[in-house]
Amino acid sequence: MLHCVNMTVLERQQARSRKCHQQDQDQDQDYQRSSLFDVFSSSITMDGYDDSSLHMPIMPPPAPAPAPSSSSALSRTTTSITPRVATSLASPTLGKKRKPLTQKVVAGGGGAEQQSENKKDKKVKVSGEEDSSKITEQTNKEEVASAENSKGSSEAQNHKPDYIHVRARRGQATDSHSLAERVRREKISERMKYLQDLVPGCNKITGKAGMLDEIINYVQSLQRQVEFLSMKLAAVNPRLDLNIDDLFAKEVFPACAPNFQSIGMASSSDMSNNPAAAAAAYLDFNSVQQLVSCSNGLINNIGMSMNPSPDMGLRKTIATPHSVSLPETFLDSSSCFTQALPPSIWEGEFQIQNLYNVAFDQPRASSFPPSHPFTGLVEASNLKMEMEM
Amino acid sequence: MRNQSSVKQEFLRKWITGLRRYSCEKKNMSFFERKKAIKLSADLAMASTRDKTTRWSQALIANNTDNVFIASSSSSSPKKSSSSRSRNMTTLMRRSRPTRVKSAKKEMSSARCIAKRLMEKRTRKLKNLLPGGESMDEGCLVAETLDYIQSLRDQIEVMRCLVTASQLIINPS
């Protein structure tokens, strides 16, 4: 995982350098450095970092927005670390990994501002908590131009930047700790903004506590939904296997002309939460989808000609010739669902067998075993359709 | 942003695999056993789609890998990685503990105290909700929550589709 690194070191540097710098000198560099934050989330490495207050994993941004928004938000807070700075950082108690960088670092050479920074740099002390972070160098164009060793600086420029450059804003505390805290807080508030978009009904809530409440409720409701849906699935499916691999085989059924009117009827009678989505899904073309559509058409056409009897006993008598736990299924599902499953289900399943060219006068005796694979296949293909939306 | 439909398809595939393994092992499961199996394989499939990039997914897999059949089918050797993950968890807990101690020692005014206590209560609640959330600091917690909510939404959509499809088959009229 990536972690943001080394901010306190850099921030401390900047805090000190700012005290003797004029702000307008750095602004050019700031705007150039603002692009640094584009790589912020991709190139931070850390070794043995102990301070948990800055120990934040950088998640892959949940929306395309984060990278540009973070860069714009922090563009005013970027700072410049000159090669001298990095040298002085490298010289005290830091770990071995800094050493290869020092050579690169020395290459930077001196503009006027770098020289004035140098005085401050020598007074820089690295606190224990940032000891082992790895630092690579950011040089801007000015420094490249003035660099004595162009090779080192260009190498630093092409090298993946690992620093987070933070600048204290005008009128704010420049203490390194507060800088780090501020960055951390900004990150958290940024993520809270994404959460606000994700969690419905959070647009009006501004406080962190209220937001957290909403988030907690939402996560709880999502988890409860998962529970409920798994219960529903367990009730609907007498067996666990769904025979999806037949779905991917795609060659079981003869190609039939899709019957969209019947599909529309089927989907409109659907009790799902998104009937429109289901209907739209059916209109997507796919060999499997056509298969499903024609099977649905068949079910509807033939089911209408049959006379469903609302008798539970009838269902049981239908089920008993088969040595499968079908009554159990119905009992389970009727206990779970508010609506009773009509006996036309059985007719529907039996009609499906027509696709297999099984003799229709003996639907119950012979149809049941093959009907389940077909059922699994069709429902899986339904699912595939809906997911391809 | 990860590709939503491919994530959902991956989740579905892994889930079905897990379910099939489960059904091979046990015949004639009761309703509650089935429900538990479905939920477990769904959770594990969802966690494995994140490919161990998030802490909650690691924690979820680590917590549930006492079920051997799921372990072998849904992700590559989660049993092996669960031990390393538990080690990571403990190191993370050790790391995050100092922060909590520091905040407790600070002096505050009573109003701030109350506010802070409210926040702590809520973050604790959120940590309990999130798998593996106990060992996260605040910034990490928010990011993980974000990812977890997205994955939960994907999972619920796929499950709902499956329920719809099976209901549609059973009740076409």
Side-chain angles (χ1 to χ4, degrees):
Chain A
M1 273 207 226
L2 302 172
H3 306 282
C4 59
V5 166
N6 210 20
M7 291 192 312
T8 57
V9 175
L10 303 177
E11 290 157 16
R12 205 174 295 114
Q13 291 285 319
Q14 295 323 301
R16 288 192 180 84
S17 59
R18 263 185 68 81
K19 283 170 190 165
C20 63
H21 276 299
Q22 291 171 9
Q23 199 170 358
D24 47 9
Q25 272 186 357
D26 298 327
Q27 270 183 356
D28 291 342
Q29 295 177 6
D30 285 351
Y31 296 130
Q32 286 168 10
R33 295 281 160 88
S34 63
S35 58
L36 292 179
F37 282 91
D38 294 334
V39 292
F40 154 83
S41 62
S42 61
S43 60
I44 314 291
T45 60
M46 205 185 67
D47 305 292
Y49 194 66
D50 288 323
D51 185 7
S52 56
S53 62
L54 293 182
H55 189 302
M56 275 186 280
I58 293 169
M59 306 297 299
S69 67
S70 63
S71 62
S72 59
L74 295 166
S75 61
R76 281 179 291 140
T77 60
T78 56
T79 60
S80 54
I81 300 278
T82 64
R84 295 287 177 180
V85 169
T87 320
S88 58
L89 282 174
S91 47
T93 56
L94 300 174
K96 286 182 191 173
K97 297 194 177 168
R98 296 242 177 93
K99 279 183 190 167
L101 300 170
T102 53
Q103 295 165 359
K104 234 192 295 179
V105 159
V106 172
E113 46 194 357
Q114 295 165 6
Q115 283 170 3
S116 54
E117 279 199 278
N118 290 340
K119 295 177 201 164
K120 291 295 166 185
D121 298 341
K122 285 170 189 166
K123 296 174 191 168
V124 169
K125 278 176 192 166
V126 180
S127 74
E129 37 179 41
E130 289 85 28
D131 261 358
S132 44
S133 357
K134 194 165 136 187
I135 303 179
T136 58
E137 188 50 30
Q138 286 296 337
T139 60
N140 63 358
K141 293 172 190 171
E142 289 175 67
E143 290 172 14
V144 171
S146 60
E148 292 159 359
N149 188 353
S150 58
K151 173 203 168 196
S153 51
S154 57
E155 187 186 322
Q157 221 179 17
N158 299 337
H159 210 69
K160 257 196 292 182
D162 283 339
Y163 286 115
I164 302 293
H165 298 270
V166 184
R167 153 150 292 155
R169 280 188 272 236
R170 191 187 180 87
Q172 291 182 334
T174 54
D175 181 38
S176 62
H177 286 286
S178 51
L179 275 174
E181 270 293 312
R182 193 174 315 120
V183 172
R184 183 177 149 269
R185 259 182 276 135
E186 279 174 2
K187 255 197 223 132
I188 290 177
S189 58
E190 201 185 312
R191 287 178 186 153
M192 294 289 278
K193 265 187 236 139
Y194 295 131
L195 274 173
Q196 224 173 12
D197 295 333
L198 211 56
V199 177
C202 262
N203 306 323
K204 296 150 193 159
I205 300 175
T206 46
K208 220 157 91 165
M211 270 295 301
L212 270 183
D213 261 346
E214 284 297 319
I215 291 166
I216 287 169
N217 288 336
Y218 190 56
V219 171
Q220 275 175 343
S221 78
L222 286 179
Q223 286 177 339
R224 261 184 265 131
Q225 271 185 38
V226 169
E227 285 268 344
F228 174 70
L229 283 172
S230 60
M231 219 166 58
K232 225 175 173 184
L233 265 177
V236 162
N237 247 337
R239 307 175 331 188
L240 270 189
D241 49 345
L242 299 173
N243 291 321
I244 299 295
D245 51 358
D246 294 337
L247 160 71
F248 297 123
K250 286 189 195 178
E251 76 261 16
V252 184
F253 299 100
C256 319
N259 190 348
F260 290 116
Q261 283 79 21
S262 54
I263 293 164
M265 287 194 316
S267 55
S268 59
S269 63
D270 188 2
M271 56 196 127
S272 75
N273 301 329
N274 48 352
Y282 284 123
L283 298 177
D284 283 340
F285 288 109
N286 200 340
S287 62
V288 179
Q289 292 161 355
Q290 289 174 359
L291 158 85
V292 174
S293 62
C294 75
S295 67
N296 277 331
L298 255 164
I299 292 168
N300 278 336
N301 288 336
I302 302 173
M304 283 188 272
S305 60
M306 302 283 286
N307 220 353
S309 113
D311 188 11
M312 186 70 175
L314 176 65
R315 260 183 268 152
K316 282 193 177 156
T317 51
I318 292 172
T320 41
H322 314 283
S323 56
V324 208
S325 57
L326 297 163
E328 186 203 325
T329 313
F330 272 97
L331 289 170
D332 286 336
S333 37
S334 55
S335 62
C336 285
F337 300 124
T338 49
Q339 75 276 359
L341 291 168
S344 60
I345 290 169
W346 293 108
E347 278 104 23
E349 290 210 351
F350 301 147
Q351 275 94 56
I352 291 170
Q353 294 319 302
N354 284 326
L355 290 178
Y356 288 102
N357 299 322
V358 177
F360 191 59
D361 49 354
Q362 291 291 326
R364 298 165 195 177
S366 57
S367 66
F368 192 71
S371 78
H372 264 276
F374 178 81
T375 304
L377 209 144
V378 173
E379 68 194 357
S381 56
N382 276 342
L383 172 58
K384 191 177 180 207
M385 283 189 312
E386 290 172 38
M387 283 192 350
E388 275 167 355
M389 290 182 46
Chain B
M1 185 68 157
R2 46 190 175 140
N3 184 8
Q4 283 256 316
S5 59
S6 68
V7 165
K8 286 183 194 170
Q9 283 176 12
E10 188 190 343
F11 162 68
L12 178 69
R13 223 183 315 123
K14 291 184 176 166
W15 185 23
I16 301 300
T17 315
L19 283 179
R20 210 175 296 138
R21 296 286 300 244
Y22 211 130
S23 66
C24 290
E25 296 222 351
K26 262 183 156 193
K27 309 280 178 186
N28 300 331
M29 285 187 277
S30 76
F31 168 69
F32 288 109
E33 281 179 344
R34 280 207 306 273
K35 175 230 164 191
K36 253 203 311 187
I38 287 172
K39 179 161 190 293
L40 177 68
S41 37
D43 285 343
L44 281 174
M46 177 182 75
S48 70
T49 60
R50 292 314 275 128
D51 217 11
K52 301 162 199 166
T53 51
T54 56
R55 276 192 226 177
W56 66 262
S57 62
Q58 293 175 10
L60 198 61
I61 293 175
N63 290 339
N64 289 324
T65 50
D66 49 354
N67 303 306
V68 182
F69 61 90
I70 294 288
S72 51
S73 69
S74 59
S75 55
S76 58
S77 67
K79 278 198 120 177
K80 249 190 278 166
S81 39
S82 69
S83 55
S84 62
R85 251 176 250 126
S86 52
R87 262 184 278 123
N88 291 338
M89 288 298 168
T90 48
T91 53
L92 284 166
M93 289 195 70
R94 261 182 261 126
R95 280 183 190 172
S96 56
R97 233 174 259 145
T99 347
R100 281 187 242 138
V101 172
K102 274 183 215 161
S103 59
K105 285 182 181 169
K106 279 189 201 154
E107 282 185 350
M108 303 166 246
S109 69
S110 61
R112 282 184 64 195
C113 226
I114 294 169
K116 188 115 188 174
R117 226 179 297 137
L118 278 177
M119 283 299 294
E120 276 177 5
K121 225 198 300 181
R122 290 192 173 101
T123 45
R124 216 178 311 133
K125 220 175 167 188
L126 191 56
K127 283 181 182 178
N128 290 335
L129 276 180
L130 223 55
E134 294 80 16
S135 57
M136 294 184 207
D137 62 339
E138 199 182 313
C140 171
L141 188 69
V142 175
E144 292 275 329
T145 312
L146 200 60
D147 196 71
Y148 186 58
I149 286 177
Q150 278 175 337
S151 301
L152 272 180
R153 273 156 55 134
D154 288 341
Q155 183 185 10
I156 285 174
E157 267 182 61
V158 172
M159 287 177 89
R160 200 175 279 155
C161 285
L162 200 54
V163 170
T164 307
S166 36
Q167 282 177 344
L168 200 60
I169 295 305
I170 288 176
N171 183 19
S173 59

